[in-house]
Amino acid sequence: MTAGPTLSELTLRARDIFRLVVEGFIDTGAPVGSKTLAGSGGVNLSPASIRSVLQELQDAGLLSAAHTSAGRMPTEFGLRLFVDGIMQVAEPSLAERTQIERGLAQGGTIESALAAASTALSEMSAGAGLVMVPRREPRLLQITFVALAPRRALVVLVAEDGGIENRVVDLADPVMPGVLEAAGNYLTARLAGRTLAEAATGIAAEITSGKSALDSASADLVRRGLAIWSRDSAQRPVLVVRGQANLLDDAAVQDLERVRQLLDELESVESIAHVLDAARVAQATRIFIGSENRLMSLSGSSVIATPWRDGDGRVVGVVGVIGPTRLNYARVVPMVDFTAQSLSKLIGQDGFSRP
């Protein structure tokens, strides 16, 4: 994003006019002109003086205009400056908190709670509500490799809960039955009762250091099995999206191509999950504005997202809102944060069943 002035480098009147332009744009989705600002009562300057300040803000990269006589709207850099330095965030209203809690209080499966949270956010934010959680990784009981062909093997994963999953592994060279058995026994001994994520790093380090007591063929088979399974698990997120219709508001009619691009992005579960994954490691709400995120650069959209946790404080997933850059950040940020807190409390309560 293009560098520009810091908030402290703006004069007080430039800061006030900048704030009014951003707030006006967020409210209406339309450029804000000098006559509107002069008539709002928020600026005690003539239209000519306001136009001069608007030009200064435009020259600084904070505002843009479709043409000379048009009003101004914030650039992505201007929105970032506003969000980080000017925006005043308030607690969600009682009505908003009640709406979120009412949906989650209906009980049922995790999926139903995610749907309720996503629906509530979409209804209150005028954007699309998003809730993402990686599919639950099973704790394993046994791993077996079965020969399918000279250069192909089937990995059979048996979980403690009785679930069975299969993965096909392509091999560089033919593998003898003894190699398959050795690889399966090795993984079963080290993964039994644990998830792959909990043990994979240690296994990889043991093989790399030569402490695994596996021959080269068995070690290669273990590496391939771990890689296949890890990649597959990472690409299977549960993503619940509600409120796509909110993206087709009156202002969107003027920019249908952007909205079409955004709707296309929402169809790609893996792509959206990749965006939300960036918020999993955050301690607080993350805000991605337009081209700050590669996926959102074409549609010029914003994402507000925050992680939610289980009863042990571990990050379970991410909840958020996606919409045009004129999202009401000051209002949506606390709603997203409250929804994440509510999901975190609910995950360990009785009556909230797992699939």
Side-chain angles (χ1 to χ4, degrees), residues 108-111 133-137 308-312 314 316 346-349 351-355:
T109 64
I110 289 180
E111 281 81 1
V133 57
R135 289 203 184 270
R136 183 174 56 90
E137 285 194 78
W308 57 284
R309 305 171 184 273
D310 63 14
D312 297 322
R314 294 173 299 194
V316 176
L346 187 64
I347 191 70
Q349 291 181 359
F352 188 64
S353 60
R354 293 179 178 272

mmCIF file of all heavy atoms in Angstrom, residues 108-111 133-137 308-312 314 316 346-349 351-355:
data_model
loop_
_atom_site.group_PDB
_atom_site.id
_atom_site.type_symbol
_atom_site.label_atom_id
_atom_site.label_comp_id
_atom_site.label_asym_id
_atom_site.label_seq_id
_atom_site.Cartn_x
_atom_site.Cartn_y
_atom_site.Cartn_z
ATOM 1 N N GLY A 108 -27.826 -27.678 19.782
ATOM 2 C CA GLY A 108 -27.630 -28.487 18.596
ATOM 3 C C GLY A 108 -26.161 -28.761 18.348
ATOM 4 O O GLY A 108 -25.357 -28.806 19.273
ATOM 5 N N THR A 109 -25.818 -28.970 17.100
ATOM 6 C CA THR A 109 -24.450 -29.308 16.738
ATOM 7 C C THR A 109 -23.592 -28.063 16.579
ATOM 8 O O THR A 109 -24.085 -26.938 16.565
ATOM 9 C CB THR A 109 -24.434 -30.082 15.409
ATOM 10 O OG1 THR A 109 -24.924 -29.217 14.371
ATOM 11 C CG2 THR A 109 -25.315 -31.319 15.486
ATOM 12 N N ILE A 110 -22.305 -28.290 16.443
ATOM 13 C CA ILE A 110 -21.392 -27.179 16.187
ATOM 14 C C ILE A 110 -21.783 -26.461 14.904
ATOM 15 O O ILE A 110 -21.791 -25.227 14.838
ATOM 16 C CB ILE A 110 -19.940 -27.688 16.079
ATOM 17 C CG1 ILE A 110 -19.443 -28.110 17.466
ATOM 18 C CG2 ILE A 110 -19.028 -26.622 15.494
ATOM 19 C CD1 ILE A 110 -18.028 -28.625 17.473
ATOM 20 N N GLU A 111 -22.154 -27.248 13.883
ATOM 21 C CA GLU A 111 -22.529 -26.635 12.610
ATOM 22 C C GLU A 111 -23.716 -25.695 12.755
ATOM 23 O O GLU A 111 -23.762 -24.634 12.144
ATOM 24 C CB GLU A 111 -22.848 -27.720 11.570
ATOM 25 C CG GLU A 111 -21.628 -28.350 10.939
ATOM 26 C CD GLU A 111 -21.013 -29.413 11.828
ATOM 27 O OE1 GLU A 111 -21.561 -29.664 12.923
ATOM 28 O OE2 GLU A 111 -19.991 -29.996 11.442
ATOM 29 N N VAL A 133 -14.021 -23.119 10.888
ATOM 30 C CA VAL A 133 -13.333 -23.981 11.851
ATOM 31 C C VAL A 133 -12.737 -25.140 11.065
ATOM 32 O O VAL A 133 -13.404 -25.721 10.206
ATOM 33 C CB VAL A 133 -14.287 -24.498 12.950
ATOM 34 C CG1 VAL A 133 -15.469 -25.239 12.368
ATOM 35 C CG2 VAL A 133 -13.540 -25.393 13.941
ATOM 36 N N PRO A 134 -11.469 -25.453 11.290
ATOM 37 C CA PRO A 134 -10.907 -26.619 10.602
ATOM 38 C C PRO A 134 -11.652 -27.871 11.009
ATOM 39 O O PRO A 134 -12.148 -27.973 12.137
ATOM 40 C CB PRO A 134 -9.450 -26.660 11.113
ATOM 41 C CG PRO A 134 -9.184 -25.286 11.615
ATOM 42 C CD PRO A 134 -10.497 -24.778 12.140
ATOM 43 N N ARG A 135 -11.745 -28.814 10.100
ATOM 44 C CA ARG A 135 -12.395 -30.058 10.468
ATOM 45 C C ARG A 135 -11.636 -30.705 11.613
ATOM 46 O O ARG A 135 -10.427 -30.639 11.685
ATOM 47 C CB ARG A 135 -12.451 -31.008 9.267
ATOM 48 C CG ARG A 135 -13.436 -30.553 8.218
ATOM 49 C CD ARG A 135 -13.888 -31.713 7.372
ATOM 50 N NE ARG A 135 -14.770 -31.273 6.311
ATOM 51 C CZ ARG A 135 -16.081 -31.184 6.420
ATOM 52 N NH1 ARG A 135 -16.663 -31.489 7.568
ATOM 53 N NH2 ARG A 135 -16.825 -30.789 5.402
ATOM 54 N N ARG A 136 -12.391 -31.325 12.483
ATOM 55 C CA ARG A 136 -11.816 -31.923 13.687
ATOM 56 C C ARG A 136 -10.811 -33.006 13.317
ATOM 57 O O ARG A 136 -11.118 -33.921 12.572
ATOM 58 C CB ARG A 136 -12.941 -32.525 14.529
ATOM 59 C CG ARG A 136 -12.497 -33.131 15.851
ATOM 60 C CD ARG A 136 -13.722 -33.544 16.642
ATOM 61 N NE ARG A 136 -14.550 -34.454 15.873
ATOM 62 C CZ ARG A 136 -14.422 -35.785 15.901
ATOM 63 N NH1 ARG A 136 -13.462 -36.340 16.630
ATOM 64 N NH2 ARG A 136 -15.219 -36.565 15.203
ATOM 65 N N GLU A 137 -9.594 -32.880 13.853
ATOM 66 C CA GLU A 137 -8.581 -33.906 13.630
ATOM 67 C C GLU A 137 -8.785 -35.036 14.629
ATOM 68 O O GLU A 137 -8.791 -34.813 15.834
ATOM 69 C CB GLU A 137 -7.183 -33.315 13.808
ATOM 70 C CG GLU A 137 -6.717 -32.449 12.657
ATOM 71 C CD GLU A 137 -5.231 -32.193 12.744
ATOM 72 O OE1 GLU A 137 -4.452 -33.097 12.392
ATOM 73 O OE2 GLU A 137 -4.856 -31.107 13.183
ATOM 74 N N TRP A 308 -11.775 -17.581 17.653
ATOM 75 C CA TRP A 308 -12.527 -18.033 18.829
ATOM 76 C C TRP A 308 -11.895 -19.319 19.338
ATOM 77 O O TRP A 308 -11.233 -20.037 18.602
ATOM 78 C CB TRP A 308 -14.013 -18.186 18.535
ATOM 79 C CG TRP A 308 -14.400 -19.099 17.416
ATOM 80 C CD1 TRP A 308 -14.302 -18.847 16.091
ATOM 81 C CD2 TRP A 308 -14.964 -20.406 17.534
ATOM 82 N NE1 TRP A 308 -14.761 -19.904 15.356
ATOM 83 C CE2 TRP A 308 -15.183 -20.878 16.215
ATOM 84 C CE3 TRP A 308 -15.326 -21.213 18.603
ATOM 85 C CZ2 TRP A 308 -15.725 -22.140 15.950
ATOM 86 C CZ3 TRP A 308 -15.874 -22.461 18.355
ATOM 87 C CH2 TRP A 308 -16.062 -22.909 17.052
ATOM 88 N N ARG A 309 -12.072 -19.610 20.629
ATOM 89 C CA ARG A 309 -11.285 -20.636 21.306
ATOM 90 C C ARG A 309 -12.169 -21.661 22.002
ATOM 91 O O ARG A 309 -13.351 -21.416 22.259
ATOM 92 C CB ARG A 309 -10.349 -19.974 22.335
ATOM 93 C CG ARG A 309 -9.460 -18.910 21.724
ATOM 94 C CD ARG A 309 -8.701 -18.108 22.755
ATOM 95 N NE ARG A 309 -7.928 -17.033 22.126
ATOM 96 C CZ ARG A 309 -6.697 -17.183 21.648
ATOM 97 N NH1 ARG A 309 -6.095 -18.353 21.766
ATOM 98 N NH2 ARG A 309 -6.073 -16.181 21.080
ATOM 99 N N ASP A 310 -11.551 -22.798 22.333
ATOM 100 C CA ASP A 310 -12.275 -23.814 23.090
ATOM 101 C C ASP A 310 -12.084 -23.577 24.581
ATOM 102 O O ASP A 310 -11.490 -22.576 25.004
ATOM 103 C CB ASP A 310 -11.828 -25.222 22.683
ATOM 104 C CG ASP A 310 -10.353 -25.494 22.993
ATOM 105 O OD1 ASP A 310 -9.735 -24.705 23.755
ATOM 106 O OD2 ASP A 310 -9.816 -26.486 22.464
ATOM 107 N N GLY A 311 -12.591 -24.519 25.394
ATOM 108 C CA GLY A 311 -12.524 -24.332 26.842
ATOM 109 C C GLY A 311 -11.120 -24.311 27.399
ATOM 110 O O GLY A 311 -10.899 -23.825 28.513
ATOM 111 N N ASP A 312 -10.156 -24.851 26.647
ATOM 112 C CA ASP A 312 -8.763 -24.853 27.090
ATOM 113 C C ASP A 312 -7.972 -23.665 26.570
ATOM 114 O O ASP A 312 -6.754 -23.595 26.751
ATOM 115 C CB ASP A 312 -8.079 -26.155 26.644
ATOM 116 C CG ASP A 312 -8.718 -27.392 27.270
ATOM 117 O OD1 ASP A 312 -9.102 -27.317 28.451
ATOM 118 O OD2 ASP A 312 -8.842 -28.419 26.568
ATOM 119 N N ARG A 314 -7.467 -22.899 23.431
ATOM 120 C CA ARG A 314 -6.853 -23.136 22.130
ATOM 121 C C ARG A 314 -7.733 -22.567 21.024
ATOM 122 O O ARG A 314 -8.952 -22.689 21.073
ATOM 123 C CB ARG A 314 -6.645 -24.633 21.905
ATOM 124 C CG ARG A 314 -5.633 -25.260 22.861
ATOM 125 C CD ARG A 314 -5.594 -26.756 22.702
ATOM 126 N NE ARG A 314 -6.893 -27.365 23.005
ATOM 127 C CZ ARG A 314 -7.063 -28.667 23.194
ATOM 128 N NH1 ARG A 314 -6.037 -29.489 23.079
ATOM 129 N NH2 ARG A 314 -8.259 -29.149 23.478
ATOM 130 N N VAL A 316 -9.869 -22.389 17.985
ATOM 131 C CA VAL A 316 -10.669 -23.390 17.286
ATOM 132 C C VAL A 316 -10.947 -22.957 15.855
ATOM 133 O O VAL A 316 -10.884 -23.741 14.921
ATOM 134 C CB VAL A 316 -12.003 -23.634 18.032
ATOM 135 C CG1 VAL A 316 -12.879 -24.610 17.252
ATOM 136 C CG2 VAL A 316 -11.743 -24.151 19.441
ATOM 137 N N LEU A 346 -19.566 -20.986 24.542
ATOM 138 C CA LEU A 346 -20.528 -22.027 24.231
ATOM 139 C C LEU A 346 -19.900 -23.369 23.942
ATOM 140 O O LEU A 346 -20.496 -24.428 24.204
ATOM 141 C CB LEU A 346 -21.368 -21.588 23.030
ATOM 142 C CG LEU A 346 -22.557 -22.473 22.651
ATOM 143 C CD1 LEU A 346 -23.591 -22.501 23.760
ATOM 144 C CD2 LEU A 346 -23.182 -21.972 21.362
ATOM 145 N N ILE A 347 -18.685 -23.368 23.410
ATOM 146 C CA ILE A 347 -18.079 -24.598 22.932
ATOM 147 C C ILE A 347 -17.952 -25.651 24.023
ATOM 148 O O ILE A 347 -18.027 -26.852 23.754
ATOM 149 C CB ILE A 347 -16.690 -24.293 22.311
ATOM 150 C CG1 ILE A 347 -16.135 -25.519 21.565
ATOM 151 C CG2 ILE A 347 -15.707 -23.862 23.385
ATOM 152 C CD1 ILE A 347 -16.861 -25.837 20.328
ATOM 153 N N GLY A 348 -17.804 -25.228 25.286
ATOM 154 C CA GLY A 348 -17.617 -26.216 26.345
ATOM 155 C C GLY A 348 -18.848 -26.473 27.185
ATOM 156 O O GLY A 348 -18.797 -27.242 28.151
ATOM 157 N N GLN A 349 -19.975 -25.851 26.843
ATOM 158 C CA GLN A 349 -21.168 -26.013 27.659
ATOM 159 C C GLN A 349 -21.887 -27.313 27.356
ATOM 160 O O GLN A 349 -21.820 -27.847 26.255
ATOM 161 C CB GLN A 349 -22.138 -24.836 27.406
ATOM 162 C CG GLN A 349 -21.624 -23.510 27.941
ATOM 163 C CD GLN A 349 -22.615 -22.389 27.688
ATOM 164 O OE1 GLN A 349 -23.654 -22.600 27.098
ATOM 165 N NE2 GLN A 349 -22.289 -21.187 28.165
ATOM 166 N N GLY A 351 -24.864 -29.702 26.365
ATOM 167 C CA GLY A 351 -25.935 -29.526 25.402
ATOM 168 C C GLY A 351 -25.444 -29.049 24.055
ATOM 169 O O GLY A 351 -26.216 -28.960 23.108
ATOM 170 N N PHE A 352 -24.148 -28.746 23.974
ATOM 171 C CA PHE A 352 -23.585 -28.315 22.693
ATOM 172 C C PHE A 352 -22.823 -29.495 22.138
ATOM 173 O O PHE A 352 -21.688 -29.736 22.482
ATOM 174 C CB PHE A 352 -22.651 -27.121 22.924
ATOM 175 C CG PHE A 352 -22.180 -26.477 21.648
ATOM 176 C CD1 PHE A 352 -23.097 -25.867 20.799
ATOM 177 C CD2 PHE A 352 -20.852 -26.461 21.309
ATOM 178 C CE1 PHE A 352 -22.675 -25.247 19.633
ATOM 179 C CE2 PHE A 352 -20.418 -25.845 20.146
ATOM 180 C CZ PHE A 352 -21.336 -25.243 19.322
ATOM 181 N N SER A 353 -23.464 -30.254 21.285
ATOM 182 C CA SER A 353 -22.916 -31.528 20.848
ATOM 183 C C SER A 353 -21.999 -31.371 19.655
ATOM 184 O O SER A 353 -22.192 -30.508 18.816
ATOM 185 C CB SER A 353 -24.046 -32.490 20.477
ATOM 186 O OG SER A 353 -24.830 -31.945 19.437
ATOM 187 N N ARG A 354 -21.005 -32.230 19.598
ATOM 188 C CA ARG A 354 -20.101 -32.274 18.455
ATOM 189 C C ARG A 354 -20.625 -33.266 17.439
ATOM 190 O O ARG A 354 -21.258 -34.244 17.796
ATOM 191 C CB ARG A 354 -18.691 -32.691 18.901
ATOM 192 C CG ARG A 354 -18.024 -31.652 19.790
ATOM 193 C CD ARG A 354 -16.639 -32.141 20.209
ATOM 194 N NE ARG A 354 -15.974 -31.143 21.023
ATOM 195 C CZ ARG A 354 -15.247 -30.163 20.561
ATOM 196 N NH1 ARG A 354 -15.112 -30.028 19.266
ATOM 197 N NH2 ARG A 354 -14.657 -29.311 21.350
ATOM 198 N N PRO A 355 -20.327 -33.024 16.142
ATOM 199 C CA PRO A 355 -20.791 -33.943 15.133
ATOM 200 C C PRO A 355 -20.107 -35.289 15.245
ATOM 201 O O PRO A 355 -19.009 -35.370 15.753
ATOM 202 C CB PRO A 355 -20.403 -33.244 13.826
ATOM 203 C CG PRO A 355 -19.258 -32.355 14.183
ATOM 204 C CD PRO A 355 -19.523 -31.926 15.596
#
